[in-house]
C-alpha cells in the first residue's frame, strides 16, 4: 500500500514543486494549444511552467542554504512564484500559492489545507480587476468548495483535485470563446495539473491526466492573437513587471492601469508586487509603475506574433554539455554551450539566455539530457515569441548531441539541417558509467555504495566493481547489435588507462569498428559511450 502523509512537511513541499513542474512540462504543449482566453497567444502552458519553475528554484535555494521547516519552504515556493510569474494565468497561480502559504504557515494538516485553498481562491479573485467565470478562478473556487469541510490531508487534497477536474470540464460552457473552440480553460487545466501533483505527494498514488484537452486547435481557428474574447480588436501589448511599492500607491496604480487596458492582475503584498496588464500604450503602463514605486524586471510582449523569417538566415546551435572539456569541443564546432554541473541542471532561463547570446535568427537546440526535455521545450517556446526560429532536437545524451553537431551544415536549408541532425542523433545509441553513492534498487538488482553502474539508454544494465571491466561489458552488449563507430568521452577524474584499454579492446575484438575519444573535462560523468 502507498504511504499517505498526515502533514505537509518541508520535504513534501519540495516534492510538490518537482512533481508539479514535471506535470506542467508533460502537458505544456497541449495547454498552449487550447489557450484562447483572454488572448489566443498560445503560451499559457509555457507561462505556468516558467512560474512553477521559479517556485521550485526558490525552494531548492532554501534547502541549499539551510534545513528549512515547512513554513519556510511554503513561503519560498510562494515567493519564487511571485517573482517569476509569467502571463495572466501564471500571475494568478502565484497569488493562489501566496494565499495558501498564508494559512499553511500556521499548520499543515488537512483542515489547514482546506482553509488555505479557500484563502487562495479569495486572494486570487481580489487580485483580478474584473473576475470572469469559466477561468482558472472558477477552477480554484471549486477546488476550495469541494473540501470545505476539512478532513485528513489526503482526503482534502483528493477532494480539491476532483472538484477542480469537474469545474474544469464545465468551463467550456461558461465562456463563449471556449465553447466555440471546443476546449476547456487553459489556465484551469494547468491548476488541475498542479493539484494532481499535490495528491501524488500526499497519497503516494499517481493521478490520471486531466481531461479537457478536447481536440487540438490552432489559435487562429478561434481569433487572431490580438483579438479580445468577443473577437474585437484587443490590446497590442502584455506588460509585466515586479514593483516595490506601498499598499496605497498600488491601489492608485490599479485604478490607472484598469483605465488603460484589460486583463489586469496585481498580486503580492508586503511591499513587493507582480503587475500584469494588457494595454495598447506599454509606455504608459510602465510610467504608472514608476509613479507608484520602483518597477523592475519589466517584460513587454507584442501580441502580433512571430516575425517572418527569411529563407536564408544566420543559424546557430545551442548545446547543453556535462563537462568543461565537452563545452570546449562543442564551442570549437561552432556551438553556443550551456554547462550542466553535477546536480545543477540548467533552468529554462539559462537556455533562453544562451539562445539570445547566439545572435541567430535560426537556432537548433540540443538538450542532451532526457530530464531537460520539458525545460528545453519551455525555453524554445519563450524565444519563438521573440521572432527566433527554434528547432528542438530531443537528444538524450551528450554523445547524441556530438553526433548531431558533426553533421550540422549551416548553409543547408533549416529544415534539411534539422532532419539530418535528428537522424544522426537517433542513430546513436548511448551508455554511461556512474558510481553509486548509496545502496539502492536498480533494474539490474541491488547496488551498494561505490559500485560501478553501467547504464544503457538510461537504464542500469550492469553492476560492477571496477570501471574498466564494467565499461568493457557495456561496450560488448552495445556492439552485439552492430555498430561502425564508438565514441568515448572520458572525464578528467577518470584514470587515463581506461580509454586506452577500451580502444585496444574494440580494435582487437571488432575489426570493422573505429573508436574516437574525447576529454569530457571536470564535472563530466566518468565515461560516456556512443555507438553509431
Amino acid at each position: 500500500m502507498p504511504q499517505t502523509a498526515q502533514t505537509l512537511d518541508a520535504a513534501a513541499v519540495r516534492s510538490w514543486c518537482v512533481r508539479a513542474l514535471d506535470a506542467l512540462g508533460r502537458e505544456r504543449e497541449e495547454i498552449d494549444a487550447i489557450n484562447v482566453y483572454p488572448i489566443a497567444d498560445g503560451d499559457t502552458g509555457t507561462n505556468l511552467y516558467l512560474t512553477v519553475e521559479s517556485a521550485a528554484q526558490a525552494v531548492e535555494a532554501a534547502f541549499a542554504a539551510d534545513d528549512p521547516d515547512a513554513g519556510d519552504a511554503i513561503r519560498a515556493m510562494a515567493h519564487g512564484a511571485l517573482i517569476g510569474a509569467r502571463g495572466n494565468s501564471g500571475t494568478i497561480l502565484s497569488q493562489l500559492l501566496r494565499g495558501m502559504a498564508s494559512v499553511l504557515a500556521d499548520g499543515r494538516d488537512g483542515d489547514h489545507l482546506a482553509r488555505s485553498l479557500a484563502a487562495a481562491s479569495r486572494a486570487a479573485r481580489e487580485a483580478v480587476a474584473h473576475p470572469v467565470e469559466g477561468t482558472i478562478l472558477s477552477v480554484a473556487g471549486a477546488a476550495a468548495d469541494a473540501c470545505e469541510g476539512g478532513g485528513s490531508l489526503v482526503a482534502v487534497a483528493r477532494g480539491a483535485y476532483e472538484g477542480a477536474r469537474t469545474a474544469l470540464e464545465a468551463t467550456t460552457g461558461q465562456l463563449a470563446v471556449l465553447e466555440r473552440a471546443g476546449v476547456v480553460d487553459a489556465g484551469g487545466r494547468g491548476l488541475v495539473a498542479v493539484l494532481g501533483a499535490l495528491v501524488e505527494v500526499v497519497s503516494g498514488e499517481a493521478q490520471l491526466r486531466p481531461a479537457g484537452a478536447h481536440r487540438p486547435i490552432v489559435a487562429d481557428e478561434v481569433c487572431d492573437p490580438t483579438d479580445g474574447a468577443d473577437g474585437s480588436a484587443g490590446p497590442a501589448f502584455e506588460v509585466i513587471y515586479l514593483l516595490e511599492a506601498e499598499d496605497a500607491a498600488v491601489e492608485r496604480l490599479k485604478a490607472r492601469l484598469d483605465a488603460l487596458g484589460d486583463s489586469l492582475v496585481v498580486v503580492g503584498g508586503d511591499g513587493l508586487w507582480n503587475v500584469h496588464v494588457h494595454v495598447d500604450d506599454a509606455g504608459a503602463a510602465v510610467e504608472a509603475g514608476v509613479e507608484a514605486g520602483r518597477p523592475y524586471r519589466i517584460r513587454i510582449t507584442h501580441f502580433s506574433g512571430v516575425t517572418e523569417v527569411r529563407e536564408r538566415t544566420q543559424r546557430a546551435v545551442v548545446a547543453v554539455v556535462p563537462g568543461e572539456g565537452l563545452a570546449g569541443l562543442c564551442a570549437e564546432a561552432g556551438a553556443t554551450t550551456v554547462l550542466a554541473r553535477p546536480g545543477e541542471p540548467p533552468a529554462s532561463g539559462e537556455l533562453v539566455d544562451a539562445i539570445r547570446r547566439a545572435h541567430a535568427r535560426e537556432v537548433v537546440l540540443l538538450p542532451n539530457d532526457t530530464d531537460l526535455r520539458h525545460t528545453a521545450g519551455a525555453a524554445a517556446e519563450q524565444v519563438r515569441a521573440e521572432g527566433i526560429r527554434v528547432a528542438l532536437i530531443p537528444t538524450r545524451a551528450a554523445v547524441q548531441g556530438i553526433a548531431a553537431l558533426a553533421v550540422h551544415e549551416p548553409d543547408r536549408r533549416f529544415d534539411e539541417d534539422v532532419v539530418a541532425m535528428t537522424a544522426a542523433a537517433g542513430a546513436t545509441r548511448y551508455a554511461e558509467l556512474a558510481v553509486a553513492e548509496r545502496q539502492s534498487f536498480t533494474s539490474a538488482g541491488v547496488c551498494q555504495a561505490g559500485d560501478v553502474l553501467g547504464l544503457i539508454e538510461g537504464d542500469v544494465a550492469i553492476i560492477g566493481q571496477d570501471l574498466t571491466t564494467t565499461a568493457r561489458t557495456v561496450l560488448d552488449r552495445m556492439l552485439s547489435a552492430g555498430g561502425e563507430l564508438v565514441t568515448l568521452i572520458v572525464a578528467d577524474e577518470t584514470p587515463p588507462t581506461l580509454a586506452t584499454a577500451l580502444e585496444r579492446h574494440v580494435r582487437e575484438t571488432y575489426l570493422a569498428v573505429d573508436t574516437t575519444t574525447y576529454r569530457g573535462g571536470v564535472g563530466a560523468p566518468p565515461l560516456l559511450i556512443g555507438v553509431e
Side-chain angles (χ1 to χ4, degrees):
M1 292 291 291
Q3 293 184 336
T4 59
Q6 301 301 314
T7 62
L8 195 66
D9 59 16
V13 173
R14 188 184 198 182
S15 181
W16 182 21
C17 286
V18 171
R19 288 175 181 261
L21 189 62
D22 185 58
L24 289 171
R26 291 193 305 270
E27 298 182 33
R28 179 187 61 79
E29 291 183 354
E30 291 183 14
I31 295 174
D32 281 346
I34 63 171
N35 170 204
V36 298
Y37 181 86
I39 296 291
D41 50 353
D43 63 357
T44 291
T46 299
N47 287 336
L48 288 169
Y49 180 89
L50 295 172
T51 300
V52 174
E53 183 184 53
S54 181
Q57 288 172 341
V59 173
E60 290 301 320
F63 272 86
D66 199 357
D67 186 16
D69 60 23
D72 292 334
I74 290 167
R75 283 187 289 270
M77 182 181 186
H79 181 73
L82 173 67
I83 63 175
R86 300 295 185 94
N88 193 69
S89 294
T91 306
I92 294 173
L93 177 61
S94 74
Q95 188 73 344
L96 289 169
L97 294 176
R98 180 180 173 84
M100 292 182 70
S102 66
V103 176
L104 291 174
D106 296 327
R108 271 74 63 186
D109 57 13
D111 290 343
H112 279 86
L113 177 59
R115 291 200 292 274
S116 79
L117 290 166
S121 178
R122 289 193 301 271
R125 282 188 175 271
E126 291 170 359
V128 177
H130 303 285
V132 175
E133 296 306 322
T135 65
I136 187 174
L137 296 176
S138 304
V139 176
D145 292 343
C147 59
E148 188 175 10
S152 70
L153 186 67
V154 174
V156 169
R158 282 180 175 156
Y161 176 64
E162 293 302 329
R165 278 171 57 89
T166 301
L168 177 65
E169 288 298 309
T171 59
T172 305
Q174 291 176 294
L175 273 176
V177 66
L178 300 180
E179 191 168 17
R180 286 198 302 270
V183 298
V184 297
D185 179 65
R189 181 170 172 183
L191 178 59
V192 168
V194 172
L195 292 175
L198 177 61
V199 176
E200 290 183 0
V201 169
V202 299
S203 71
E205 299 175 352
Q207 302 305 297
L208 295 173
R209 290 186 62 196
H214 300 274
R215 66 183 179 89
I217 64 164
V218 178
D220 59 13
E221 288 182 342
V222 183
C223 55
D224 186 87
T226 58
D227 286 350
D230 58 359
S232 59
F237 297 96
E238 178 185 59
V239 178
I240 304 175
Y241 51 80
L242 292 178
L243 177 71
E244 293 178 356
E246 300 297 327
D247 291 6
V250 170
E251 290 304 314
R252 293 192 295 271
L253 173 66
K254 289 179 183 178
R256 181 168 178 186
L257 292 178
D258 194 25
L260 285 174
D262 58 30
S263 298
L264 173 61
V265 185
V266 180
V267 302
D270 301 320
L272 180 62
W273 310 82
N274 192 305
V275 179
H276 170 280
V277 67
H278 295 171
V279 294
D280 281 319
D281 191 343
V286 175
E287 182 182 337
V290 173
E291 292 180 1
R294 187 177 78 88
Y296 59 103
R297 291 195 186 180
I298 300 168
R299 293 191 297 272
I300 300 173
T301 303
H302 196 284
F303 286 129
S304 63
V306 178
T307 57
E308 186 177 351
V309 180
R310 294 191 301 270
E311 184 176 354
R312 302 286 294 191
T313 56
Q314 180 186 355
R315 188 175 312 155
V317 176
V318 173
V320 180
V321 291
E324 295 174 356
L326 282 178
L329 176 68
C330 292
E332 289 178 7
T336 299
T337 61
V338 179
L339 193 62
R341 298 173 180 82
E344 297 180 24
S348 60
E350 292 179 70
L351 300 185
V352 168
D353 289 342
I355 293 171
R356 290 171 178 160
R357 195 169 67 246
H359 296 300
R361 294 180 181 272
E362 298 173 337
V363 172
V364 179
L365 180 57
L366 305 173
N368 296 336
D369 188 332
T370 301
D371 293 337
L372 285 178
R373 63 190 186 279
H374 300 324
T375 302
E381 192 66 32
Q382 189 176 353
V383 296
R384 285 180 187 131
E386 301 173 10
I388 302 173
R389 189 180 184 188
V390 181
L392 170 60
I393 298 179
T395 48
R396 296 173 289 170
V399 287
Q400 290 188 325
I402 290 174
L405 192 56
V407 301
H408 166 57
E409 291 186 14
D411 292 333
R412 266 193 305 226
R413 290 180 59 250
F414 185 64
D415 292 341
E416 293 177 356
D417 199 28
V418 170
V419 168
M421 295 176 73
T422 302
T428 304
R429 287 168 286 139
Y430 65 94
E432 175 183 342
L433 258 60
V435 178
E437 296 181 356
R438 62 184 69 86
Q439 183 188 63
S440 61
F441 293 94
T442 75
S443 53
V446 180
C447 70
Q448 306 296 327
D451 283 350
V452 178
L453 307 179
L455 294 86
I456 300 178
E457 303 284 320
D459 292 325
V460 177
I462 299 161
I463 300 175
Q465 301 303 311
D466 69 272
L467 288 171
T468 302
T469 303
T470 306
R472 187 183 297 119
T473 305
V474 168
L475 257 180
D476 287 339
R477 287 200 184 183
M478 296 182 74
L479 289 171
S480 66
E484 299 176 355
L485 174 65
V486 171
T487 300
L488 304 175
I489 301 174
V490 185
D492 283 0
E493 297 87 350
T494 302
T497 55
L498 175 64
T500 303
L502 294 178
E503 289 172 353
R504 183 173 58 252
H505 176 68
V506 172
R507 187 168 55 250
E508 294 174 352
T509 311
Y510 306 95
L511 301 180
V513 178
D514 293 327
T515 305
T516 302
T517 301
Y518 300 109
R519 304 303 302 181
V522 177
L527 177 67
L528 296 172
I529 302 172
V531 174
E532 301 177 53

